Amino acid sequence: MKKKEIEKIPFVGGTKAGKKYLNTISAFIQEIKGERHLFVEVYENRNGKLQVPWIRMVFTEKDWGLYYPESGIWSAAGLEEEKRKIQYTFTAKTNKAYITETEIDRIWSFNSCKWLDKKFHSWMDVLESLINDIRCERTQKRSTNRKLRLDERIQNTPPLPIDLQEWAGRKLFSDEHFLYYKRHGRYADIACSACGHVTTIAIKRGESFESQFETVIDPPVNNSPGTCPYCKALGTYKAQGKTKGVYGKGKYCFVAQPYKTNGAVIRYVEIEKIYRLDTMAEERREIMLEAKESYITTEIARTYLEEGKRPQTDYYKHSSYTGEFWDDCNLYGMNSIRISEAKVYEKSYEWLKDTFLQYSGAKEYSRFEPIYNLTGYLQKYVQWSQIEMLSKMGLHKIVRAMISGYSGIVLDQNATHPEDFLRIRKERIQNLIAVEGNVNYLKIWQIERRKNLHLSEKETIFLAESSMNENDIVEVLKYTTVTKFMHKIEKYASIDIPDSFIEQQLCGHAAGVLRVTCNLYIDYLHMRIQREYDLTKQIYLFPRDLQAAHDRMVLETNQEKIEKRNREVSEKYPNIRKNYRKLRNRYFFEDEVYLIRPARSAEEIVTEGRTLHHCVGGDNYLDKHDTGESTILFLRLKKQPESPYITVEIRRNTILQWYGIRDTKPDQIAIEKWLKKYIGVLKEKQEILAVTA
Ligand SMILES: [Zn+2]
């Protein structure tokens, strides 16, 4: 839409129409820059509203737009909403829009759609069909283009390597063959999936003379290794009776091949090895006829990587309607196809040399991680070319973290020196190689450079293994040095951190204790900071007994919370205190064992709830008590009148509920009996009051 040009064209104005019409329509055709435009303006049918339409709809053959002069807004919506507002319907009774025949003819003259018939369709139908045609054409064009590109990729994809299955047999299935066996007497039949042959062989020496010359093997045992007597292939024994006729297991692998000029296609393939045993029933027993093995190869996904282009992944899908097909987008949600770690077909690296990914370092990386996500690796390489260097330096743990999506490792995309893009001190590169690119160490050395620290090896181990995050480390270092902190933690945790990360490693147990202790310390420190203790005092910064000091701080912090809540409710519900006397007159009662009275204050209700661990201290009950919707009463032992026991919610002379600790009903029969008596007393009391009043 040439919006600026269109806005310059003056409104033609509306024709004043009869009173029954809400709207009056003007339509005209105007050429803008050699293109025919249909204008349909809708005016409110009122004096003073006929100069500026409330909506101007503009159409060309390829586009449309709705313009609202009052707000100056253009909309690309359809007419679904506005149709109602213009209120045109075909029956004259509800026709609220006035339009002359001339105008209708103009609209029809713009219509290129042959199937619309003036007898059955309105001018509004014409406008809607204009929009519909444009929309259809657009989606078709989009999907046609996508389909064309997909077909083009399929055509340019080379066939899978002819020896892929043979390679898979060796590398994915370790040439595993099945030796199905069935014992009968002192013989066994052995069907070999490698050669297919069924051999009958002795498993026990016979007593006859001839049997001395027989070959005898050890009796086969299910799932144990054996040798085919016929072709000598090594295999795994499978007892015939325990085995299904067809057995398959699937494995995945990656195949990288050149694509077009210097691009590559990375294919994620599932190969299934099928073992099959054919048998025949003969008299009372089943006879093995032949064993077989075969492969089924299914491609799952193809990722096309081309220089300077966005990576494109196509997925192989199955549909019960259309069968199997390639699609350029993944499935949605739970069923989405996932590409994960797998072995890489051996010629892939050779083939990648002919592509722009020749220096990716994938082969070097595979020496450390033979099973990995090649697609993920190469996609990361296209994004971060530094991966090559990381792989070649043996920093494979960093690379693995990058493939799995961990960000914040390579901090400078344009840097060429590893110390620059990793943002660590130059001398740390050697250390980083020594720990194979351990990401925890990298993070510590990044902090070291950023905060201008100088860490010993021992301190590095300490910080890296502690799993503390940067904020916490920085927080601690406001009050002390790494050295001092480390010594304290060593003492708290009773562990010795090794002096060098090359000589010895922190064992798993010690590392666990270190992490727990650091967590505890950080938690403790946060509470001290929050409560504004003077942390220049060593007794606060490093207490002698960390656990005990931590627990004391928890109590202190909770006490603070309690007081805060009490202040809150006493401000929010002042009426509870004010109405106490009045409610006491009405509800107080005691006998030899129990007393019952209303809450004196909001704080008291909160305390009751906290002590008895039920929800009466929540705003819901406080609200009800405050407004008089219901009243909270405390039922207590007369000997311990200040100790919460039972909480009662009452409305006039009806008990709504009652509970003791943790929503239980202690001494239920006696309490219910007592409450019944209490209600009787209340009613009596009211009758007396009514009489005296
Ligand atoms: Zn064999």
Side-chain angles (χ1 to χ4, degrees):
M1 281 275 104
K2 299 180 182 70
K3 294 177 182 172
K4 285 275 164 294
E5 304 292 324
I6 291 168
E7 282 172 34
K8 278 184 208 156
I9 292 173
F11 305 118
V12 292
T15 319
K16 182 88 166 99
K19 269 187 187 163
K20 63 171 182 169
Y21 297 107
L22 281 179
N23 291 315
T24 172
I25 317 290
S26 298
F28 60 98
I29 289 168
Q30 175 128 8
E31 213 161 275
I32 301 171
K33 298 217 162 147
E35 197 181 9
R36 267 168 30 110
H37 284 64
L38 169 68
F39 286 73
V40 182
E41 298 173 346
V42 185
Y43 297 84
E44 214 177 310
N45 184 27
R46 272 203 294 154
N47 288 330
K49 293 281 181 186
L50 297 170
Q51 283 75 46
V52 181
W54 63 264
I55 184 171
R56 177 191 246 187
M57 303 176 273
V58 187
F59 303 83
T60 68
E61 268 172 27
K62 295 193 174 72
D63 203 0
W64 81 95
L66 309 180
Y67 180 65
Y68 298 86
E70 203 179 314
S71 54
I73 287 172
W74 277 92
S75 151
L79 289 173
E80 295 84 358
E81 284 301 312
E82 300 303 2
K83 195 165 115 181
R84 246 174 283 156
K85 232 166 125 190
I86 298 166
Q87 277 208 317
Y88 185 91
T89 56
F90 201 51
T91 50
K93 252 191 270 175
T94 51
N95 184 355
K96 299 239 167 93
Y98 173 78
I99 183 166
T100 63
E101 280 304 317
T102 327
E103 252 115 357
I104 290 174
D105 287 344
R106 280 184 195 140
I107 292 172
W108 275 92
S109 77
F110 203 77
N111 164 42
S112 56
C113 185
K114 299 290 167 282
W115 60 266
L116 281 184
D117 188 326
K118 219 170 172 174
K119 257 191 272 180
F120 308 111
H121 295 100
S122 74
W123 60 274
M124 184 60 90
D125 293 335
V126 176
L127 298 184
E128 286 201 285
S129 92
L130 283 173
I131 291 175
N132 196 41
D133 288 355
I134 297 164
R135 277 177 175 167
C136 276
E137 210 162 291
R138 282 179 188 171
T139 45
Q140 243 167 31
K141 209 169 164 183
R142 241 193 329 258
S143 61
T144 317
N145 282 342
R146 274 172 57 181
K147 183 82 176 65
L148 283 175
R149 285 198 295 269
L150 177 66
D151 287 343
E152 202 242 332
R153 284 193 296 274
I154 292 170
Q155 273 166 23
N156 283 291
T157 302
L160 282 169
I162 39 166
D163 63 346
L164 182 62
Q165 286 183 350
E166 188 264 325
W167 171 84
R170 271 188 295 123
K171 296 289 182 174
L172 301 183
F173 299 96
S174 323
D175 279 331
E176 193 187 12
H177 305 296
F178 280 4
L179 299 168
Y180 297 99
Y181 67 92
K182 172 118 191 150
R183 293 161 67 157
H184 46 91
R186 63 179 188 93
Y187 291 95
D189 290 344
I190 294 173
C192 162
S193 72
C195 65
H197 232 270
V198 183
T199 318
T200 301
I201 191 159
I203 51 173
K204 204 178 153 202
R205 184 143 317 273
E207 273 148 23
S208 69
F209 175 74
E210 293 84 358
S211 69
Q212 286 181 43
F213 306 102
E214 256 178 351
T215 312
V216 178
I217 62 161
D218 288 334
V221 175
N222 196 34
N223 287 329
S224 301
T227 311
C228 168
Y230 189 80
C231 73
K232 306 300 174 205
L234 292 170
T236 307
Y237 280 126
K238 296 282 171 190
Q240 187 226 310
K242 290 180 187 166
T243 319
K244 280 178 271 171
V246 180
Y247 171 81
K249 57 178 171 183
K251 301 252 183 178
Y252 295 87
C253 65
F254 287 102
V255 180
Q257 289 167 299
Y259 174 73
K260 288 196 177 169
T261 344
N262 69 344
V265 55
I266 319 301
R267 308 166 77 166
Y268 187 56
V269 181
E270 183 185 11
I271 297 175
E272 202 181 359
K273 188 167 183 177
I274 310 285
Y275 299 90
R276 182 194 174 97
L277 175 68
D278 292 335
T279 56
M280 189 186 76
E282 196 186 77
E283 284 164 25
R284 269 165 161 211
R285 66 191 195 107
E286 224 176 353
I287 293 187
M288 296 193 289
L289 292 175
E290 193 187 11
K292 280 181 208 153
E293 56 191 54
S294 58
Y295 296 94
I296 297 174
T297 302
T298 316
E299 254 189 285
I300 311 285
R302 294 169 173 172
T303 302
Y304 297 86
L305 299 167
E306 288 178 90
E307 208 166 4
K309 284 193 186 172
R310 264 215 320 233
Q312 167 63 43
T313 303
D314 296 336
Y315 299 87
Y316 198 57
K317 294 181 183 171
H318 306 257
S319 151
S320 40
Y321 300 106
T322 50
E324 294 156 346
F325 60 97
W326 282 97
D327 201 356
D328 63 359
C329 57
N330 205 345
L331 295 163
Y332 182 72
M334 297 285 285
N335 297 319
S336 72
I337 297 167
R338 229 173 72 85
I339 299 173
S340 48
E341 296 86 23
K343 279 197 177 156
V344 177
Y345 170 70
E346 57 197 358
K347 286 180 195 156
S348 297
Y349 297 116
E350 205 56 43
W351 286 335
L352 282 172
K353 282 186 186 163
D354 300 329
T355 74
F356 79 111
L357 302 168
Q358 55 186 320
Y359 302 122
S360 71
K363 192 175 181 182
E364 286 79 2
Y365 178 70
S366 74
R367 294 200 185 110
F368 297 99
E369 305 268 352
I371 296 175
Y372 69 107
N373 183 342
L374 177 65
T375 305
Y377 181 97
L378 294 173
Q379 275 182 295
K380 279 283 171 226
Y381 169 72
V382 170
Q383 211 181 340
W384 305 97
S385 59
Q386 288 98 337
I387 280 196
E388 176 204 355
M389 208 186 297
L390 297 174
S391 286
K392 288 182 177 165
M393 287 164 68
L395 300 174
H396 60 98
K397 290 181 177 170
I398 295 183
V399 176
R400 186 170 57 189
M402 287 177 79
I403 299 174
S404 59
Y406 185 85
S407 56
I409 292 175
V410 175
L411 294 168
D412 185 346
Q413 200 158 8
N414 302 314
T416 45
H417 295 291
E419 65 270 22
D420 292 336
F421 62 73
L422 294 172
R423 293 273 169 92
I424 58 177
R425 288 181 205 283
K426 199 175 173 190
E427 61 270 24
R428 288 298 183 202
I429 294 295
Q430 282 313 312
N431 298 148
L432 196 57
I433 292 169
V435 296
E436 297 172 44
N438 184 313
V439 177
N440 288 333
Y441 284 76
L442 170 67
K443 278 196 270 183
I444 295 306
W445 286 322
Q446 286 180 337
I447 298 172
E448 179 189 41
R449 178 166 149 178
R450 205 159 39 235
K451 297 289 169 193
N452 199 23
L453 305 169
H454 288 272
L455 300 173
S456 68
E457 289 193 16
K458 182 172 170 145
E459 286 161 359
T460 306
I461 298 172
F462 164 61
L463 292 176
E465 300 289 347
S466 76
S467 301
M468 280 188 289
N469 66 38
E470 181 171 354
N471 289 344
D472 289 340
I473 293 173
V474 171
E475 190 81 69
V476 173
L477 295 185
K478 280 184 195 162
Y479 307 102
T480 188
T481 62
V482 178
T483 319
K484 202 153 179 209
F485 179 43
M486 175 176 67
H487 289 319
K488 289 291 180 188
I489 295 290
E490 272 187 303
K491 225 158 108 196
Y492 290 140
S494 307
I495 51 163
D496 288 315
I497 291 157
D499 293 319
S500 148
F501 37 72
I502 297 158
E503 283 157 25
Q504 61 207 113
Q505 297 257 307
L506 198 61
C507 77
H509 174 70
V513 173
L514 173 63
R515 259 166 243 150
V516 170
T517 310
C518 285
N519 263 341
L520 187 70
Y521 183 79
I522 293 296
D523 197 34
Y524 164 79
L525 187 70
H526 281 163
M527 288 189 282
R528 283 278 191 218
I529 293 169
Q530 197 204 340
R531 306 185 48 71
E532 295 172 352
Y533 276 84
D534 179 5
L535 289 169
T536 59
K537 291 207 170 93
Q538 287 300 299
I539 186 72
Y540 293 146
L541 186 61
F542 295 119
R544 211 150 24 137
D545 184 339
L546 178 62
Q547 184 70 57
H550 173 269
D551 295 349
R552 268 198 311 277
M553 287 310 294
V554 172
L555 278 180
E556 214 180 289
T557 309
N558 282 348
Q559 188 55 40
E560 182 125 303
K561 270 190 209 149
I562 289 166
E563 280 160 16
K564 190 169 162 246
R565 173 77 180 148
N566 280 350
R567 274 196 305 278
E568 245 172 49
V569 297
S570 88
E571 276 166 33
K572 199 169 166 189
Y573 305 106
N575 288 340
I576 297 180
R577 193 180 291 276
K578 270 185 224 155
N579 293 335
Y580 171 62
R581 278 285 133 202
K582 204 172 78 197
L583 287 172
R584 189 187 147 90
N585 283 342
R586 175 166 184 171
Y587 288 117
F588 181 85
F589 174 71
E590 63 182 342
D591 61 9
E592 304 76 45
V593 191
Y594 300 107
L595 71 83
I596 189 163
R597 64 169 174 85
R600 293 191 191 108
S601 63
E603 298 96 290
E604 216 187 22
I605 297 179
V606 170
T607 307
E608 177 94 354
R610 188 181 300 117
T611 317
L612 297 180
H613 303 280
H614 57 41
C615 53
V616 81
D619 279 3
N620 175 29
Y621 290 103
L622 288 164
D623 260 335
K624 290 207 254 177
H625 188 104
D626 193 56
T627 57
E629 191 190 326
S630 66
T631 302
I632 301 299
L633 304 175
F634 301 153
L635 169 60
R636 290 177 179 181
L637 288 164
K638 226 179 146 184
K639 279 185 186 160
Q640 294 164 283
E642 291 310 313
S643 299
Y645 180 44
I646 305 278
T647 314
V648 179
E649 186 188 6
I650 194 166
R651 181 183 297 146
R652 284 182 286 279
N653 296 332
T654 310
I655 306 261
L656 299 179
Q657 56 175 337
W658 70 270
Y659 283 106
I661 191 156
R662 286 181 223 284
D663 292 324
T664 57
K665 292 189 184 283
D667 200 10
Q668 186 165 359
I669 296 167
I671 296 292
E672 261 161 18
K673 205 169 151 192
W674 195 88
L675 285 172
K676 211 171 158 186
K677 176 174 115 185
Y678 168 62
I679 291 295
V681 172
L682 282 185
K683 284 181 178 163
E684 225 168 83
K685 206 156 113 185
Q686 245 136 43
E687 273 162 32
I688 296 164
L689 282 174
V691 171
T692 48

